[in-house]
Amino acid sequence: MKKKIKVFCGYVNTGGIAYKIAEGLRKNGVSADSIVIDDHSFSYKYHKRLKFIGNKPGLINRFLKYYYFIKHTIKYDVFIFNTRSTLLSRKGDLKILKMLGKKTAMIYVGCDIRDKDYYLNSTDKFTVCKNCSDSYQSKINCVMNVKRKETSVIQKNIGVSFSHPFDASILGNEYSYLYLLLELNKYDPNFDLNRKIKIVHIPSDDGIKGTKFITDAIEKLKSDGVEFDFELIRNKSHDEVIDIIKNCDILIDQMTAGWYGLISI
């Protein structure tokens, strides 16, 4: 009897990508789990969450990481990571998985490999990196030498990598195309217009999304006498955001990145 392949997706869940891939595989008869270390700030769904002691990387938590890694290595045949994140330090898990002959993939999603130096030195007046806040850069560890070093290690040990071309310059041509994933059956759009046009902006980060430029334009429209309702939405879960989008007429995604994000789809 042929062995049934088991697929791991994790350990982070940017844009709900780990859960969406695992769910898609499950619907096609493949055994798959999305496993995360932390809850996402937008409350994306997942199948399992690892348990650690507090938030510090002490000896016990280091032991737990190796325990989970060994457990997952025994259980799963295919490993799909995302956002440049794995479990062990120095991407040691990728090296071990490669030696064991496991199938591996890395999905890059944007800021994790975006060439900040290129966008900061661009002649364009507005770019995603020129408007990014210091707090967000710190949150995602946006340091170019770290990005390049980690990405180099990943690319040497990963089976296949995926990205969209906008941010893939540091990958060269060593990636396959994949952008944002969406579960179409989860959405039921409302095509009725509100009596007064309702505009919504839901930024994950004000700087990256160009929120200042949007609110300035909104104020200008209001001062010119244009009638509409405007809502600036923050700190909502993914499910709450979907309900908000269903009931608005115009959704403003982002103004500085040069392309659309997941929320536009």
Side-chain angles (χ1 to χ4, degrees):
M1 183 176 177
K2 189 175 180 180
K3 179 185 175 183
K4 188 175 182 180
I5 293 177
K6 295 182 179 180
V7 181
F8 164 94
C9 302
Y11 286 95
V12 297
N13 197 23
T14 304
I17 194 169
Y19 178 78
K20 292 171 185 176
I21 291 174
E23 277 291 290
L25 290 171
R26 286 183 173 196
K27 290 174 182 177
N28 285 277
V30 178
S31 176
D33 297 311
S34 57
I35 302 176
V36 303
I37 296 175
D38 297 307
D39 289 319
H40 194 280
S41 57
F42 297 156
S43 302
Y44 291 118
K45 294 180 181 178
Y46 54 82
H47 296 111
K48 300 176 184 179
R49 180 185 172 189
L50 302 184
K51 295 181 180 180
F52 290 98
I53 308 300
N55 297 317
K56 296 183 178 180
L59 183 61
I60 294 178
N61 282 342
R62 188 178 301 174
F63 168 80
L64 286 173
K65 282 189 174 183
Y66 280 95
Y67 164 75
Y68 288 131
F69 173 67
I70 293 171
K71 181 180 178 181
H72 296 158
T73 301
I74 294 172
K75 180 176 181 180
Y76 297 102
D77 307 290
V78 179
F79 291 77
I80 303 175
F81 302 98
N82 69 85
T83 323
R84 215 180 73 227
S85 295
T86 63
L87 189 60
L88 303 185
S89 62
R90 300 179 182 177
K91 309 304 175 188
D93 35 2
L94 295 184
K95 299 173 184 178
I96 296 171
L97 292 172
K98 183 179 180 180
M99 286 190 298
L100 294 174
K102 300 286 186 177
K103 303 298 183 183
T104 57
M106 176 65 73
I107 301 173
Y108 300 105
V109 298
C111 288
D112 50 343
I113 57 168
R114 182 172 295 140
D115 189 343
K116 180 173 69 172
D117 294 339
Y118 169 80
Y119 286 105
L120 289 178
N121 294 317
S122 170
T123 56
D124 292 339
K125 184 177 181 180
F126 305 109
T127 70
V128 62
C129 294
K130 286 181 180 179
N131 296 280
C132 186
S133 64
D134 291 339
S135 60
Y136 190 76
Q137 291 184 57
S138 176
K139 176 183 176 182
I140 64 172
N141 193 24
C142 186
V143 181
M144 278 313 302
N145 64 330
V146 174
K147 285 186 183 182
R148 290 192 176 98
K149 184 177 180 179
E150 285 193 355
T151 303
S152 176
V153 174
I154 292 170
Q155 292 298 98
K156 288 178 182 177
N157 294 282
I158 206 72
V160 60
S161 56
F162 298 91
S163 178
H164 60 78
F166 310 119
D167 291 317
S169 60
I170 69 173
L171 298 178
N173 294 318
E174 299 177 359
Y175 70 95
S176 298
Y177 181 84
L178 178 70
Y179 196 30
L180 303 170
L181 305 178
L182 196 66
E183 300 167 281
L184 293 177
N185 62 320
K186 300 286 186 181
Y187 302 96
D188 182 24
N190 175 14
F191 294 107
D192 294 330
L193 293 177
N194 293 293
R195 181 164 297 181
K196 183 186 287 187
I197 294 296
K198 184 176 182 180
I199 303 173
V200 168
H201 176 49
I202 315 174
S204 54
D205 177 81
D206 286 8
I208 287 180
K209 301 300 182 180
T211 300
K212 180 184 183 303
F213 307 118
I214 294 168
T215 53
D216 286 350
I218 290 294
E219 291 304 316
K220 177 65 167 57
L221 288 171
K222 286 184 176 180
S223 66
D224 289 344
V226 180
E227 293 189 3
F228 59 90
D229 291 325
F230 174 69
E231 289 188 23
L232 180 59
I233 307 295
R234 294 190 176 93
N235 302 318
K236 298 292 184 180
S237 71
H238 177 66
D239 290 341
E240 289 175 314
V241 166
I242 295 305
D243 286 334
I244 292 169
I245 293 173
K246 284 181 181 179
N247 296 297
C248 75
D249 301 297
I250 299 173
L251 171 69
I252 304 176
D253 181 3
Q254 54 193 18
M255 303 302 293
T256 60
W259 53 86
Y260 56 86
L262 177 61
I263 201 168
S264 289
I265 304 178

